[in-house]
Amino acid sequence: MIDLTGRVALVTGGARGIGRAVALQLARLGADVAINYQSSVGAATEVAGEVERLGRRTLTVQADVRDSAAVTVMVKTVTDTLGGLRILVNNAGLTRVPVMLRMKEEDWDLVLDTNLKGAFNVIKAAQRPMLKQKYGRIINIASIAGIYGNAGQANYAASKAGLSGLTKTVAKERGSRNITCNVVAPGYIPTDLTASLPPEFIEVAQKMTPLGRLGTVEDVAQAVAFLASDAASFITAQVLQIDGGMVF
């Protein structure tokens, strides 16, 4: 049984979808959880209420992860309020899906700045308390699109592939201080982020999955919880695919 009692976690983009499921799973296992959001204050407040009902401490922290100054304030708020930061889950992300020929520069910049630069900003800020503690678990939420590519998602696939390189570098830089850094790469998981995809894409995704079903946010959350635990203390710089065997 994974026990995260006494651990403080920060989940970016924790108000909805995978982030929400991760926040609640960590709380069920005993962690106190800070929930970052950019604009979904109502949804973040609801998640915080659920965390409290599980008997854990929580707070909601508004910050655009693209803004390094805001991220620095966010991490300080978490550490000052909850007394440290031992688990970081970089989940904040978005997508814009025109094919490359029609992709505007702002579509590219927005996705890369949010998904990749945002993770960089939060990891950089979170390293300070983790280095002092000589302990940290960093889990970045990527996608199998970053492994095999996906038509119409040049920006998204590039940002998620970049997360893998960032993760492996952080793992090498901070392993000596007992800080691990890993990637979870989900396959197709129905969330608000994927709701705009056409029905035929969903049908193809299911047919391509050997397990014969789509994934759930809970599938991802359980993998994140494992990597956040001491059971995964000798696992770092890895990419764990949660895709039902879709990509191999």
Side-chain angles (χ1 to χ4, degrees):
M1 175 67 178
I2 293 174
D3 184 4
L4 300 178
T5 302
R7 310 289 170 85
V8 175
L10 168 62
V11 181
T12 70
R16 295 177 177 173
I18 290 173
R20 175 183 181 277
V22 167
L24 294 179
Q25 180 66 11
L26 296 179
R28 289 187 196 101
L29 296 172
D32 300 321
V33 185
I35 299 147
N36 158 258
Y37 67 97
Q38 181 178 350
S39 58
S40 303
V41 59
T45 301
E46 288 180 11
V47 178
E50 293 188 54
V51 171
E52 286 181 341
R53 285 191 286 277
L54 290 167
R56 307 312 309 167
R57 296 182 301 156
T58 186
L59 77 155
T60 60
V61 278
Q62 193 281 330
D64 183 340
V65 296
R66 296 174 296 173
D67 183 341
S68 60
V71 166
T72 298
V73 172
M74 172 178 70
V75 170
K76 187 176 188 304
T77 299
V78 172
T79 57
D80 287 351
T81 305
L82 297 180
L85 178 58
R86 300 177 79 83
I87 300 166
L88 168 63
V89 183
N90 275 309
N91 172 73
L94 50 78
T95 186
R96 294 290 185 272
V97 293
V99 294
M100 193 170 181
L101 190 62
R102 295 200 298 268
M103 186 175 292
K104 298 177 181 178
E105 185 175 351
E106 52 263 37
D107 292 328
W108 175 271
D109 289 346
L110 177 62
V111 172
L112 268 291
D113 284 352
T114 303
N115 298 2
L116 185 53
K117 181 184 176 183
F120 163 79
N121 286 338
V122 185
I123 291 171
K124 185 176 180 180
Q127 281 187 52
R128 296 188 183 280
M130 289 182 176
L131 286 168
K132 290 179 181 178
Q133 298 160 172
K134 294 185 179 180
Y135 184 98
R137 298 285 181 265
I138 301 170
I139 303 100
N140 297 318
I141 308 298
S143 167
I144 57 170
I147 298 170
Y148 78 101
N150 201 25
Q153 290 190 315
N155 47 7
Y156 184 75
S159 71
K160 296 303 186 179
L163 269 181
S164 294
L166 175 63
T167 295
K168 292 175 186 294
T169 299
V170 173
K172 287 178 170 61
E173 289 184 352
R174 296 309 182 197
S176 65
R177 301 299 289 271
N178 196 27
I179 298 172
T180 66
C181 191
N182 292 288
V183 171
V184 168
Y188 179 79
I189 308 291
T191 64
D192 290 347
L193 187 67
T194 59
S196 61
L197 295 173
E200 56 268 25
F201 178 90
I202 299 172
E203 184 178 346
V204 169
Q206 187 161 342
K207 287 180 178 178
M208 289 175 62
T209 304
L211 287 181
R213 69 171 177 87
L214 300 178
T216 68
V217 292
E218 287 76 22
D219 290 327
V220 181
Q222 291 181 52
V224 171
F226 166 69
L227 290 173
S229 75
D230 288 341
S233 63
F234 200 57
I235 300 174
T236 195
Q238 301 304 305
V239 178
L240 178 58
Q241 295 175 206
I242 312 298
D243 64 357
M246 179 185 287
V247 177
F248 54 87

